[in-house]
DNA sequence: AACTGACTCAACCGCGGGGAT
DNA sequence: CATCCCCGCGGTTGAGTCAGT
């Protein structure tokens, strides 16, 4: 667009944020609420561009952000949502309110994508070369082999987490917490609605829109649907079906998955949307299968 | 202990969308 | 309608850290 980069101005600082800067930013937002980022560096004296301030707030200082290891459930959510929405990290993040789009994006790029790719290779060769299936541990996936457990958050992240926690407490204790916090939450909600709408736009023709799914599936149902155990089970069923009845289509496999799910205990009612998600997942079932096996087979890592 | 390559993730950059004028 | 300005998103980078030798 020919616009000069916003952070190219002389005197604009780059690089990691210091705790002092964080406190200044947090103080300002606590007082004025998030938004109007243009005025933030002007009014605070921070030598940062507005973009940088917004990013710092939304990704690290905003209250309610969960940092550190992703749970198996979150992994499952990300896998499935990525399959459904593509690299719409903001849309995906709207389903995981405690996680930022940046966090999810990083996690996908550094852990999940790599694992999926790696296992895709292994699985492809094993399916093509023989009818044998990569060995699954009988105890199933217990989460201990998850890439998410490999590392914890960085040292500085823990310091910003402290600031974030401090802010949460600060807002709670503040005489006018609800004004600022509520404003932030409203903006968050608006943002999420926007994101959902965006996600809906990106869903294909006759698919139900993402917001419809949100409307018709409760959070609990949705979450249960996305649990890693469910994904693993589905993928495993798919593999079993394929191995026993050669030539069966992926749709058939998924139908059998659906039937299996229907008959299984401890599951939410098998709703239309659940079926839709299963059907929709046809195209991405290989990915799910990969992940499932990835996590089930400790020998891979 | 020192070196090196791999990995992670915070931060930046460029672009597009949308509201204001 | 055209232009400007701001915000938010997705892709990318590079400094810091870790693990292996």
């Amino acid at each position: 667009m020919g616009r000069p980069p916003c952070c190219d101005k002389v005197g604009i600082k780059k690089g990691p944020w210091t705790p002092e800067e964080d406190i200044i930013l947090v103080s300002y937002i606590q007082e004025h609420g998030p938004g109007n980022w243009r005025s933030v560096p002007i009014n605070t004296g921070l030598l940062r561009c507005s973009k940088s301030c917004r990013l710092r707030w939304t990704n690290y200082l905003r209250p309610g952000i969960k940092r550190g290891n992703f749970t198996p459930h979150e992994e499952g959510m990300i896998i499935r949502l990525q399959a459904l929405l593509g690299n719409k990290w903001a849309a995906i993040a709207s389903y995981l309110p405690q996680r930022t789009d940046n966090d999810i994006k990083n996690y996908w790029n550094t852990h999940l994508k790599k694992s999926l790719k790696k296992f895709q290779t292994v699985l492809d060769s094993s399916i093509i070369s023989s009818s044998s299936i990569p060995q699954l541990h009988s105890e199933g996936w217990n989460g201990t082999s998850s890439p998410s457990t490999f590392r914890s958050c960085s040292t500085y992240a823990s310091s910003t987490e402290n600031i974030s926690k401090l802010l949460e407490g600060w807002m709670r204790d503040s005489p006018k917490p609800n004004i600022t916090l509520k404003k932030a939450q409203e903006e968050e909600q608006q943002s999420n609605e926007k994101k959902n709408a965006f996600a809906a736009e990106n869903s294909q023709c006759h698919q139900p829109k993402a917001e419809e799914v949100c409307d018709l599936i409760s959070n609990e149902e949705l979450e249960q649907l996305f649990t890693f155990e469910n994904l693993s089970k589905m993928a495993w069923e798919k593999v079993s079906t394929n191995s026993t009845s050669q030539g069966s289509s992926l749709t058939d496999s998924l139908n059998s998955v659906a039937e299996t799910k229907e008959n299984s205990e401890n599951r939410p009612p098998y709703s239309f949307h659940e079926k839709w998600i299963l059907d929709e997942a046809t195209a991405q079932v290989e990915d799910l299968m990969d992940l499932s096996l990835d996590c089930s087979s400790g020998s891979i890592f």
Side-chain angles (χ1 to χ4, degrees), chain A residues 209-228:
Chain A
K209 299 190 172 188
E211 57 201 274
E212 290 172 351
V213 176
C214 292
D215 287 346
L216 292 164
I217 302 180
S218 69
N219 284 343
E220 290 75 16
E221 274 184 324
L222 186 65
E223 290 197 359
Q224 175 145 4
L225 182 63
F226 284 134
T227 60
F228 210 92

Side-chain angles (χ1 to χ4, degrees), chain A residues 78-275:
Chain A
I78 293 167
I79 295 286
R80 175 59 67 86
L81 287 167
Q82 202 279 339
L84 288 172
L85 304 172
N87 292 358
K88 304 298 175 190
W89 306 117
I92 293 170
S94 70
Y95 289 91
L96 296 163
Q98 290 182 310
R99 300 290 187 178
T100 68
D101 53 354
N102 205 39
D103 235 10
I104 293 170
K105 179 174 61 182
N106 278 335
Y107 189 68
W108 173 264
N109 286 332
T110 59
H111 294 88
L112 298 178
K113 194 164 79 175
K114 203 181 299 174
S115 301
L116 287 170
K117 194 175 178 182
K118 200 170 180 179
F119 210 82
Q120 175 89 48
T121 311
V122 174
L123 191 68
D124 282 351
S125 58
S126 73
I127 284 181
I128 290 168
S129 64
S130 74
S131 61
S132 68
I133 298 164
Q135 191 178 355
L136 288 168
H137 292 173
S138 57
E139 71 272 22
W141 183 75
N142 58 14
T144 54
S145 64
S146 162
S148 68
T149 60
F150 290 167
R151 286 172 68 105
S152 59
C153 56
S154 71
T155 49
Y156 187 62
S158 63
S159 115
T160 59
E161 186 177 15
N162 289 340
I163 293 173
S164 185
K165 280 178 181 169
L166 182 72
L167 176 64
E168 284 183 77
W170 186 4
M171 287 180 144
R172 258 200 308 277
D173 299 340
S174 164
K176 48 169 186 177
N178 292 336
I179 299 167
T180 319
L181 190 55
K182 198 177 170 189
K183 191 176 175 184
Q185 285 168 341
E186 280 171 0
E187 294 202 3
E188 195 69 37
Q189 193 182 345
Q190 283 171 7
S191 168
N192 285 343
E193 283 167 2
K194 213 171 162 185
K195 286 171 185 170
N196 284 339
F198 182 69
E201 278 174 26
N202 284 276
S203 61
Q204 310 216 333
C205 351
H206 55 277
Q207 291 168 350
K209 299 190 172 188
E211 57 201 274
E212 290 172 351
V213 176
C214 292
D215 287 346
L216 292 164
I217 302 180
S218 69
N219 284 343
E220 290 75 16
E221 274 184 324
L222 186 65
E223 290 197 359
Q224 175 145 4
L225 182 63
F226 284 134
T227 60
F228 210 92
E229 288 75 9
N230 272 350
L231 296 178
S232 301
K233 198 193 290 177
M234 288 162 61
W236 169 239
E237 290 288 343
K238 190 264 177 184
V239 171
S240 306
T241 309
N242 265 4
S243 67
T244 52
S245 63
Q246 288 196 345
S248 67
S249 68
L250 287 175
T251 309
D252 291 341
S253 302
L254 277 167
N255 284 339
S256 81
V257 170
E259 284 161 15
T260 305
K261 279 179 66 66
E262 192 131 35
N263 293 333
S264 67
E265 296 178 347
N266 303 325
R267 61 156 194 84
Y270 189 55
S271 70
F272 165 78
H273 287 96
E274 189 173 352
K275 189 170 191 316

